[in-house]
Amino acid sequence: MSLKNFTLIVFAMLPLSTMVNAKLRTTAAIDTSYNNNSVQGDDFGERDSSSLVIQPRVGLILETQKLQAFLNVNHRYIEDSSSIETNEGIGRNNKSSLTNYSYKVEVVAVPDILNLSARGNQSYRDVDITNALISNEDFSNSQLAKTKTDALGFDLTLDQSNFMGLQVNGDSTSVTSDESFFLENGLDSQNDSLNAYFYSGPNLKSISWNVNGNYNKTQGRASNDIESRMVNGNLYIGLFSNFRLVGTANSESNIITSTSESEGQEELKYDSYGAGLSWFRSAEQFIDVTYNISSRQDQERDKFLGTRFIWRFSPRTRISGEYGRRFYGESGQFAISYNMRKLRLDASYTEALTTFSRLVAGETINGIFVCPIGATSIIECYLPDSINYELQPGEQFTNLSLNLAELSEESTLRKSFQTSVGYDFRKFSVALTAQSSDFEYVQTSRKQNDFNTFLSLNLEVSKKSSVNWTNAYGKSTRNISDETQSIDDRTLSSTLTYKHTLNRHAKVFLSYQITDKDSPIENRDFTSRRLTLRYSFTFL
């Protein structure tokens, strides 16, 4: 699905009877910036470059009784020149254009039963993930790979009975990208997923159940295909007070098919069952503890304790988590959210056998901060006054962290921790994010750990002026086939930005950034200094 078909999709899915009540909100802006960059390294000397960037931005939100749709587009026209201090005095001039967009359409096909959706985006990601804090669309866009995602989905809910209910959702997603270090011809994969949840209704008091099933199939052209199936079921029988007897069963199968004849097909399978006690107050306040027996292919049975819980302390505070076993051993996940007007906290830990395509296909734009689409500085983001903030045209939620997945089709076991904290007090605000991800690649036995953190301090000097200081640190550790050999890349960046509001339509930004990269690889050690002056004008 291409961007040019967005309008056709909206009106094809939009009932004519609701067009009279349509509500359209729009925004349009243009940014013009001048950048000067100086890079110095022990291996290549000093390189100076400058660029002129013109960036128009458009945002649309369309709302009717049965449809919601948004479209955000920003385009960068870049003209840069550089000089490399060598004996020949080489210089170069380049012109380039980059377009980022995102869209989503949701239609109520059958009220309270069936919703249909279409979504997609185009963005630019680092070919080399160790440069995630360095690569910039204004300067180093040749190191970025264009990634495009388009998806169609549905959401079915059958909850008309007081005795049982069923929820089914699925989507089909296409992911393509330019070439990368690991994919000479780029990424071209299809990801199809189906999720079903069958549960008992509120009228069943002494006995209740739930069954959750997930199916996901990813097909790629360059490396391998992966087909995953997971089923989890729980049966509860009331005992006394808030205590219940619980029985649980889990089954998981992951079939990895390689395009290489020597590797063939591999199945990662795991089954378990168990019983225990549950303390239950509501669907948002319960704790399950079970004793489980598991079986893994070609291995003896294993016994372990497992737990699952959800606890909502208040409408603004919630924690959830679970612990058990999967085909790779101990497994768990955890999430906590705390939302007050001045302080927001969101943290989570997840584990999954996945691919880059699956991560991108499942990406959702969420978080506790609000940023304009195409924002180049954290100073443009803010913590909204309300936890129920309604996005305006051209805005998106974000947690300010990075997706550090390698641009490849290889299956990987990913364990990721992510946290975001925002504090806003009168004229002073703080934003802190941190993310740590471990990757174990199934086919090549490679291991990788990526960590990045951002700390942003913002001070309103006056009604029209503010100063922002942002510090970022990133570390990437990669083990090749031999675990005794590792490569560490470290990046530290500090940016000071001054923003001044000229009037309700115009703003000016002046920023200075210092970045230092330490790497054992030749030509990757350097220090850069970047000065940027930007003028932003909003028409609507």
Side-chain angles (χ1 to χ4, degrees):
M1 185 187 309
S2 62
L3 178 61
K4 66 181 181 181
N5 292 327
F6 175 81
T7 305
L8 296 177
I9 293 174
V10 172
F11 288 102
M13 302 177 75
L14 178 64
L16 294 177
S17 60
T18 64
M19 291 186 64
V20 177
N21 299 320
K23 179 181 179 183
L24 178 64
R25 292 180 289 159
T26 63
T27 184
I30 186 169
D31 295 352
T32 303
S33 61
Y34 174 79
N35 308 277
N36 184 273
N37 194 45
S38 176
V39 182
Q40 187 169 8
D42 295 335
D43 299 318
F44 54 80
E46 185 174 347
R47 300 175 180 176
D48 295 325
S49 60
S50 60
S51 66
L52 176 65
V53 182
I54 300 175
Q55 180 186 357
R57 295 179 281 123
V58 176
L60 305 173
I61 294 181
L62 177 64
E63 296 176 310
T64 73
Q65 185 178 358
K66 294 186 177 181
L67 180 143
Q68 287 188 337
F70 76 79
L71 170 66
N72 295 305
V73 183
N74 75 84
H75 178 79
R76 270 186 172 88
Y77 172 78
I78 306 164
E79 183 173 340
D80 67 86
S81 61
S82 66
S83 61
I84 302 176
E85 290 191 1
T86 64
N87 295 332
E88 293 80 10
I90 300 175
R92 62 181 174 85
N93 293 279
N94 290 318
K95 295 181 181 180
S96 58
S97 296
L98 304 175
T99 301
N100 293 269
Y101 66 79
S102 62
Y103 69 87
K104 186 174 184 180
V105 182
E106 293 184 335
V107 175
V108 180
V110 182
D112 300 323
I113 296 179
L114 179 62
N115 293 341
L116 305 176
S117 65
R119 58 182 171 84
N121 67 77
Q122 177 175 290
S123 60
Y124 294 81
R125 298 172 183 264
D126 296 278
V127 173
D128 181 1
I129 58 175
T130 63
N131 288 331
L133 296 178
I134 303 172
S135 295
N136 183 283
E137 292 185 6
D138 296 346
F139 278 103
S140 51
N141 54 67
S142 61
Q143 301 176 25
L144 304 177
K146 181 172 67 176
T147 305
K148 183 179 178 182
T149 303
D150 296 291
L152 295 174
F154 74 93
D155 194 332
L156 175 68
T157 301
L158 300 176
D159 193 18
Q160 307 303 317
S161 170
N162 290 324
F163 295 94
M164 64 184 66
L166 175 66
Q167 295 178 355
V168 182
N169 64 77
D171 58 56
S172 180
T173 307
S174 171
V175 180
T176 59
S177 76
D178 294 338
E179 64 182 22
S180 72
F181 287 156
F182 303 94
L183 293 173
E184 182 178 352
N185 297 319
L187 192 72
D188 186 3
S189 66
Q190 181 68 31
N191 188 80
D192 299 313
S193 66
L194 182 67
N195 306 297
Y197 181 59
F198 180 54
Y199 53 94
S200 59
N203 280 8
L204 298 179
K205 302 296 184 181
S206 59
I207 184 171
S208 60
W209 73 86
N210 61 71
V211 179
N212 192 13
N214 303 280
Y215 175 80
N216 203 325
K217 184 176 182 179
T218 302
Q219 294 177 294
R221 70 180 179 185
S223 180
N224 57 69
D225 301 336
I226 177 171
E227 185 175 4
S228 303
R229 171 190 56 82
M230 293 185 67
V231 179
N232 166 258
N234 298 284
L235 175 66
Y236 298 93
I237 300 176
L239 296 176
F240 57 88
S241 185
N242 294 108
F243 288 93
R244 305 184 301 176
L245 181 68
V246 55
T248 183
N250 300 273
S251 180
E252 176 181 6
S253 174
N254 300 278
I255 301 175
I256 302 174
T257 305
S258 176
T259 55
S260 172
E261 295 182 0
S262 60
E263 297 183 12
Q265 189 178 86
E266 179 182 9
E267 182 177 12
L268 305 174
K269 189 175 181 181
Y270 190 80
D271 301 308
S272 68
Y273 60 91
L277 287 175
S278 172
W279 192 93
F280 179 87
R281 177 180 290 176
S282 69
E284 288 293 313
Q285 287 185 326
F286 72 87
I287 301 175
D288 294 350
V289 179
T290 57
Y291 180 78
N292 303 271
I293 300 175
S294 64
S295 62
R296 202 180 317 182
Q297 56 192 68
D298 302 326
Q299 293 190 18
E300 296 182 356
R301 293 189 174 185
D302 190 18
K303 300 176 182 179
F304 65 93
L305 285 176
T307 183
R308 187 170 70 98
F309 66 91
I310 296 176
W311 201 268
R312 182 178 291 277
F313 294 92
S314 70
R316 299 185 176 186
T317 307
R318 184 182 188 270
I319 62 172
S320 64
E322 62 180 81
Y323 169 81
R325 300 283 176 89
R326 292 181 62 183
F327 66 89
Y328 52 84
E330 291 183 305
S331 173
Q333 62 181 21
F334 177 80
I336 181 172
S337 62
Y338 178 77
N339 294 298
M340 300 298 289
R341 184 179 178 183
K342 296 295 183 180
L343 177 64
R344 312 281 172 83
L345 167 66
D346 186 78
S348 64
Y349 173 80
T350 58
E351 298 179 354
L353 180 67
T354 186
T355 64
F356 176 84
S357 298
R358 287 190 179 184
L359 287 173
V360 174
E363 270 188 341
T364 55
I365 302 176
N366 52 27
I368 61 177
F369 305 101
V370 175
C371 297
I373 299 294
T376 58
S377 172
I378 195 174
I379 196 173
E380 300 175 72
C381 306
Y382 61 93
L383 195 67
D385 292 335
S386 170
I387 61 174
N388 299 316
Y389 177 79
E390 182 179 352
L391 289 175
Q392 300 302 306
E395 293 182 338
Q396 69 177 10
F397 285 114
T398 181
N399 52 23
L400 303 179
S401 61
L402 302 174
N403 183 345
L404 295 175
E406 178 181 282
L407 193 62
S408 73
E409 290 182 339
E410 186 175 353
S411 301
T412 176
L413 176 60
R414 178 178 183 261
K415 301 178 180 180
S416 178
F417 172 78
Q418 181 175 289
T419 182
S420 298
V421 181
Y423 177 76
D424 189 357
F425 182 73
R426 294 183 181 178
K427 297 183 178 182
F428 179 73
S429 62
V430 180
L432 172 65
T433 68
Q435 181 181 17
S436 178
S437 299
D438 287 314
F439 298 88
E440 296 181 20
Y441 294 92
V442 177
Q443 279 76 30
T444 56
S445 300
R446 295 180 295 120
K447 292 185 178 180
Q448 175 181 314
N449 173 266
D450 294 300
F451 173 79
N452 71 82
T453 182
F454 295 84
L455 174 62
S456 175
L457 307 176
N458 193 77
L459 176 65
E460 290 187 13
V461 181
S462 64
K463 291 184 178 181
K464 293 187 176 183
S465 301
S466 63
V467 177
N468 177 271
W469 184 34
T470 299
N471 296 278
Y473 173 78
K475 179 183 177 182
S476 177
T477 303
R478 291 165 290 166
N479 294 89
I480 315 303
S481 57
D482 185 357
E483 294 189 12
T484 61
Q485 299 179 354
S486 63
I487 300 174
D488 289 346
D489 285 271
R490 294 180 175 86
T491 305
L492 179 63
S493 178
S494 182
T495 306
L496 185 64
T497 304
Y498 173 76
K499 181 182 76 170
H500 183 73
T501 302
L502 302 175
N503 52 55
R504 61 188 298 263
H505 294 288
K507 299 176 182 177
V508 63
F509 300 83
L510 179 64
S511 65
Y512 182 72
Q513 181 186 76
I514 299 179
T515 302
D516 184 77
K517 181 168 183 178
D518 181 19
S519 174
I521 302 177
E522 187 178 0
N523 292 328
R524 294 173 65 92
D525 253 349
F526 65 84
T527 299
S528 73
R529 293 172 174 83
R530 181 180 301 169
L531 180 66
T532 301
L533 176 63
R534 181 164 64 92
Y535 176 78
S536 178
F537 186 86
T538 302
F539 297 95
L540 302 174

